[in-house]
Amino acid sequence: MSSHASVPAFRPLYRQIQDLIVQALADKEWLPGEMIPSEMDLAARFEVSQGTVRRAIDELAAENLLVRRQGKGTFVATHADPRAFFRFLRLVPDEGGVPRSRSEPLEFQTLRAGQEVAKALSIPYGDPVIQLRRILRLDSKPMVVDEIYLPADLFPDLTLDQLKASDRSLYTLFESLFGVRMVRAEEKIRAVAADPVAAQLLDLEVGTPLLSVERTAFTYGDRAAEWRRGLYSTVNHHYFNELG
């Protein structure tokens, strides 16, 4: 019996293969940055043509889940790739360039999910979650203050020391330590005025306009893996989004 027999038959075959590859990624069969098997090997494994596998891989590459490298093969996309820098961080210096970023943890605790957090992460009320507050510095200037919630079961034994010791982005850290890769996000953005706490953390006057960015980030299989609320300073920076 074919490996894809359990997938509903009304989906095009290449989509079924896509689902199976994503399932293998979710099961951590191939980790971020690793090369996946050749199209020939995958065609044999799934009992389909190489053309079907190629189309599935093309779609996953378009979704930034896989990366084709000419003459080398196909690799699992990784947050550690410098080209991925602005994929989830949309705050860009007005004069261009890639800023040096540094995440500075302020608070860290495990607690029970309240209704708002449970709904945002699609988990049961009262499930354990990790709460993290941090400042994101760009070129050593405080630009973002984030309140972040993570489902505790996806990040077992995450510690404040690990967060403080890392000089990598949070998403690179989550990927390398826990194999949890954020593959897409949904954001809601509003304009707000800096309250006294945010103004102090971001080194701004009270009442300075800020962007309030609420984000849910999803890992493989469309599982919510993070919910965060951030306040963004746009002093010498702007929020950049490419549409289409």
Side-chain angles (χ1 to χ4, degrees), residues 4-242:
H4 55 264
S6 61
V7 180
F10 56 82
R11 280 172 72 73
L13 192 53
Y14 78 91
R15 290 262 185 223
Q16 297 179 37
I17 301 309
Q18 243 179 289
D19 292 345
L20 291 167
I21 293 173
V22 169
Q23 188 58 53
L25 293 171
D27 292 342
K28 302 179 184 172
E29 188 175 334
W30 314 304
L31 297 175
E34 287 184 358
M35 186 163 76
I36 70 167
S38 69
E39 289 175 5
M40 189 186 299
D41 289 345
L42 290 173
R45 168 174 169 169
F46 298 132
E47 300 174 26
V48 295
S49 71
Q50 271 181 254
T52 300
V53 169
R54 187 171 304 123
R55 180 146 187 213
I57 288 174
D58 284 343
E59 295 281 328
L60 293 170
E63 292 172 18
N64 295 301
L65 296 191
L66 298 175
V67 179
R68 290 187 183 280
R69 293 206 188 121
Q70 198 63 42
K72 290 185 178 171
T74 302
F75 294 78
V76 183
T78 170
H79 293 297
D81 186 334
R83 288 166 296 187
F85 186 80
F86 285 119
R87 188 145 174 259
F88 289 96
L89 177 64
R90 297 292 187 174
L91 203 58
V92 179
D94 289 342
E95 68 276 11
V98 179
R100 284 178 298 111
S101 67
R102 170 92 189 156
S103 181
E104 189 179 294
L106 300 174
E107 291 173 25
F108 178 89
Q109 60 182 325
T110 301
L111 38 82
R112 299 279 167 191
Q115 260 154 349
E116 190 179 24
V117 175
K119 185 181 175 190
L121 290 173
S122 300
I123 58 175
Y125 174 77
D127 262 21
V129 290
I130 294 164
Q131 180 196 42
L132 165 66
R133 286 182 75 235
R134 65 96 182 246
I135 290 175
L136 181 67
R137 294 182 181 273
L138 298 180
D139 291 332
S140 75
K141 296 184 183 70
M143 297 306 296
V144 180
V145 56
D146 274 321
E147 182 180 6
I148 297 169
Y149 294 88
L150 307 165
D153 66 315
L154 282 182
F155 302 91
D157 305 320
L158 176 63
T159 66
L160 182 59
D161 286 342
Q162 285 173 323
L163 293 165
K164 283 185 170 172
S166 175
D167 59 357
R168 297 173 291 179
S169 75
L170 277 185
Y171 285 180
T172 305
L173 181 76
F174 294 161
E175 178 186 279
S176 61
L177 291 183
F178 303 100
V180 176
R181 181 166 186 274
M182 307 301 179
V183 296
R184 73 176 190 89
E186 295 172 355
E187 289 188 334
K188 297 176 189 170
I189 302 177
R190 295 183 176 87
V192 298
D195 64 17
V197 174
Q200 184 180 7
L201 289 171
L202 293 171
D203 198 15
L204 300 168
E205 297 287 325
V206 173
T208 300
L210 299 173
L211 291 179
S212 166
V213 181
E214 183 183 314
R215 174 195 297 172
T216 306
F218 299 85
T219 188
Y220 302 120
D222 238 18
R223 175 171 180 187
E226 177 202 53
W227 181 57
R228 69 167 70 181
R229 287 183 291 208
L231 294 174
Y232 288 46
S233 164
T234 55
V235 177
N236 304 318
H237 286 70
H238 59 272
Y239 190 96
F240 177 79
N241 204 2
E242 189 174 343

